[in-house]
Amino acid sequence: MTEPQMFTTRPELRGSFGMVSSTHWLASSTGMAMLEKGGNAFDAAVAAGLVLQVAEPHLNGPGGDLPLILHRAGSEKMQVICGQGPAPAGATLEHYRGLGFDLIPGTGLLATVIPGAFDAWMLMLRDQGTKALREVFEPALHYARHGIPVLPRIRDTIAHVQELFEREWLTSAQVFLPGGRLPEVNQLLCNPTLAETWSRILDEAESVSGSREARIDAAREAFYRGFVAEAIDRFCREESVLDNSGRRHRGVLNADDLARWEASYEDPITLGYAGLEIGKCGPWSQGPVQLQTLALLQGMEPDQWDPCGTEFVHSLTEAFKLAFADREAYYGDPDYAEVPMVQLLSKEYNDRRRDQISEEASLELRPGEIPGFEVRMPEFDSSGRGDDRFSAMGIGEPTVSEKGEVRGDTCHVDVVDRWGNMVAATPSGGWLQSSPVIPQLGFCLNSRAQMFWLQKGLPSTLEPGKRPRTTLTPSMALRDGKGFLAYGTPGGDQQDQWQTIFLLRHLHAGFNLQEAIDAPSFHSEHFPESFYPRKADPGSLVLENRFATGVIRGLEKRGHRITVGPEWSEGRMCAVSQEEGLLKAAANPRGMQGYAVGR
C-alpha cells in the first residue's frame, strides 16, 4: 500500500540517552531529570509516578493501584509487578448483599480494596533501581509543598463534586477547595498534609541502619504496617461516608488487610505478533483482550487496510467485541478462578472465532465456547443509559464527561534508558472524587472494588483476597529478546482499544510513534463497562470527527450506531521505543498535558 502522509502535532523524539513519556509534563520532566542524574529507567519511572500522584489528583493517588511491566537490559524476559490490591477480608457477598446492594457503589469506602500503588513503586525501586529513597521522592515533595498548576480538567472534576465536598466530604474540601473556593485554572494547588506523610515515611526509613534496600523496605513497613495503615484503619472504622448509593457506609478495609499484603512479581501473558513478543498483565486485568484481538487479526491481513479507513475501523471493532465478550465470560483473578488463557489465545480457537466477524456490525455480546469451561455472564444494563440518579454525588469513573469525550481516565508513564531498560506503568485509583481525603494522610482511598460483580459464580465475583478485574493495562513488546516498545494509555475499558489501534498503525501502516498517536481514533461501547453503573450500549461506536465523512457513512451502512465526538477526544497514548541504540518517544496532545521528553 502507498505510504501514508500524516500530519502530527509535534515531532517524534529521537536520541540515544533516554526517553520518558507520560500523561503530564511535570512527570515526564521529573523522570528525565532522574535519568540525567545517572538513574536508570526504573528510578525515573518511580519518580515520575510519585509526581503524577500530585499533578493529576483527579486520576490517581497514593491510595490507588498500579500494574506495571518492566524489562531489564540483558534479560530476554519481561516481568509484571502487580500493585493491584485485593478485596479486604470483610468484603464478602453476604456483607454487601445484606446492605441491599446488587452493584458495589462507584464511590465511597465500600468500593475500596487494599491500596497497591505505593508497594509496587517501592518494590521496583528496591530491586531494579539505583537511587536513594529521598532523591526519588524529592520532586513529588516539592510539588506537594509548593503546588501544581490546576489544569481545566482538574478544576472541572472538583466542580462536579464541589457540593458533595462542601456538604459531606469536608476533609476533601479542605484540600481541594482551598479557602473554601473552587480553585482557578493555573492556581497553584498544594497538599501539605501529603507532603508531611511522605516526609514522615522518609524519616522513619532513614532511621534504619543498613542498605538502601533496607530503607526502602522500612518505607513499605511504615505504609502497610505502620502509621499510614493505622490512619487508614481508623478512618474506615469510624467514618460513615456518603457514596453514590445515596446512603452513608463505613468501609471494611482494616490494618490487618494491609499488613498481610504486598506487591508481587509475575510473568506476563504473551503473544507473538508481527515479529514481536507482546506482553500484558494477566486476566486479573483486561490486558489479554489486546492479545486476543491481535490473535483474531492474524488471519485478516490488517497490513492491507487503510489505517484510517472503513475496513480498519469495522474489522477492529468487531474483533474488540469478541475479545471483550470473552473478558466478561472468563476473566478474573487466576488465583481464585480458572481462566482458559491458553485456549483463548490458541490458533484453533481464534480461527473459529474469526468466522463470526462479518461485513455487518454485530449487536450481540457473543463469548466463545471452550470445552470444559462454562460461559458465565453477568447481568448488566444494556439500555445504553445507565442510572444517573446520583450524578451529583459523582460516578465510578475517574473523569466525568459527556459521551464522545475521554472517559475512564487515569495516568500512564513509559521510560527507556541508554542501557536499554524499559518500563510501562499505569497508575490509577485514589482519585479525589473516589472517597474523602483521610485527614491525617492527605490522600483518598481507591474505588476499584466496583469492578467486582455481586452475582454468585462469575470469574470476577467478589471474594475476600481476590483481585478485582482491573481495566489498568500497560503494554510492552520485545523484538529478538530485547526491549522494543513500551506503550499505554488511560481510558478505562478503552485502554486496550486505543493501544491496539496505535500498535497496528505503527507496525503495519508505517506511522511513527507520534503519527500513530495523533491519527484519529475511536472506541466501542458495545460491552458492559467495568465502572458503576456497569451499563452497555450494544453497537455503539464513537469516533473523532476527524475521520472522513465517507468512512463514517460507510460504518453506518454496516450497522454501527455512530456517535461523532470532538476532534481530539479519543485516547491519551504514551510510547517509547528503542532499536539498535536509537531511542524514540511520543505523547498524546489530547487534553493539552501529555508530553514526551528525551535526548
Side-chain angles (χ1 to χ4, degrees), residues 42-51 53 62 64-66 68 70 72 81-83 115-138 140 197-198 201-202 205-206 212-225 228 261-265 425 427:
F42 313 115
D43 299 310
V46 176
L50 293 171
V51 166
Q53 293 177 358
D65 329 281
L66 172 65
L68 64 85
L70 65 90
R72 180 174 280 280
I81 292 182
C82 176
F118 187 88
D119 207 52
W121 285 129
M122 293 301 100
L123 182 63
M124 182 168 71
L125 182 65
R126 185 194 72 180
D127 296 347
Q128 315 294 339
T130 64
K131 289 295 184 180
L133 196 62
R134 186 171 293 275
E135 188 172 5
V136 172
F137 266 90
E138 198 56 50
T197 297
W198 279 339
I201 290 174
L202 291 172
E206 290 171 346
R212 166 187 167 277
E213 290 78 9
R215 290 177 174 174
I216 294 173
D217 279 339
R220 299 168 72 193
E221 188 77 12
F223 194 103
Y224 289 91
R225 285 162 286 280
V228 175
W261 181 84
E262 61 182 29
S264 58
Y265 288 97

Side-chain angles (χ1 to χ4, degrees), residues 20-62:
V20 184
S21 176
S22 87
T23 49
H24 199 291
W25 66 82
L26 292 178
S28 298
S29 297
T30 294
M32 192 65 199
M34 204 57 53
L35 295 179
E36 297 283 5
K37 293 178 181 179
N40 62 21
F42 313 115
D43 299 310
V46 176
L50 293 171
V51 166
L52 285 172
Q53 293 177 358
V54 186
E56 296 190 308
H58 58 315
L59 306 178
N60 81 138

Side-chain angles (χ1 to χ4, degrees), residues 34 175 207 501:
M34 204 57 53
V175 176
S207 70
I501 295 163

Side-chain angles (χ1 to χ4, degrees), residues 522-533:
F522 59 93
H523 75 270
S524 171
E525 296 181 345
H526 176 80
F527 34 82
E529 293 180 342
S530 297
F531 296 92
Y532 179 93

Side-chain angles (χ1 to χ4, degrees), residues 353-396:
R353 291 285 271 164
R354 195 177 300 115
D355 291 339
Q356 295 180 272
I357 297 176
S358 71
E359 293 298 307
E360 297 295 318
S362 170
L363 299 180
E364 299 175 331
L365 193 65
R366 301 176 293 175
E369 294 185 1
I370 298 174
F373 289 85
E374 181 185 358
V375 174
R376 295 174 290 175
M377 296 292 285
E379 298 173 5
F380 56 90
D381 178 2
S382 60
S383 68
R385 296 185 300 272
D387 185 348
D388 62 358
R389 288 176 295 164
F390 307 119
S391 61
M393 288 174 258
I395 59 172

Side-chain angles (χ1 to χ4, degrees), residues 59 152-153 156-157 160 395 397-410 489-495 497-498 521-525 529 531 535 540-545 562-572 588 590-591:
L59 306 178
R153 287 177 184 266
D156 291 347
T157 303
H160 183 81
I395 59 172
E397 292 183 273
T399 295
V400 179
S401 55
E402 297 300 322
K403 188 172 180 178
E405 297 179 347
V406 176
R407 301 191 69 196
D409 244 341
T410 179
T489 179
D493 298 286
Q494 284 76 257
Q495 288 183 28
Q497 299 185 64
W498 291 330
S521 199
F522 59 93
H523 75 270
S524 171
E525 296 181 345
E529 293 180 342
F531 296 92
K535 66 184 177 65
S540 174
L541 179 60
V542 183
L543 299 95
E544 288 180 335
N545 69 6
I562 300 296
T563 297
V564 178
E567 60 182 354
W568 293 96
S569 55
E570 290 285 316
R572 286 177 67 205
N588 175 59
R590 300 164 178 88

Side-chain angles (χ1 to χ4, degrees), residues 497-570:
Q497 299 185 64
W498 291 330
Q499 291 180 43
T500 307
I501 295 163
F502 157 84
L503 182 68
L504 294 175
R505 286 170 169 167
H506 182 54
L507 295 180
H508 296 315
F511 288 13
N512 69 32
L513 298 180
Q514 193 63 51
E515 290 169 340
I517 289 172
D518 284 358
S521 199
F522 59 93
H523 75 270
S524 171
E525 296 181 345
H526 176 80
F527 34 82
E529 293 180 342
S530 297
F531 296 92
Y532 179 93
R534 311 304 293 266
K535 66 184 177 65
D537 197 355
S540 174
L541 179 60
V542 183
L543 299 95
E544 288 180 335
N545 69 6
R546 293 183 293 134
F547 278 96
T549 301
V551 171
I552 295 172
R553 289 175 178 169
L555 292 165
E556 288 175 332
K557 288 180 180 178
R558 294 195 185 200
H560 297 280
R561 297 176 54 234
I562 300 296
T563 297
V564 178
E567 60 182 354
W568 293 96
S569 55
E570 290 285 316

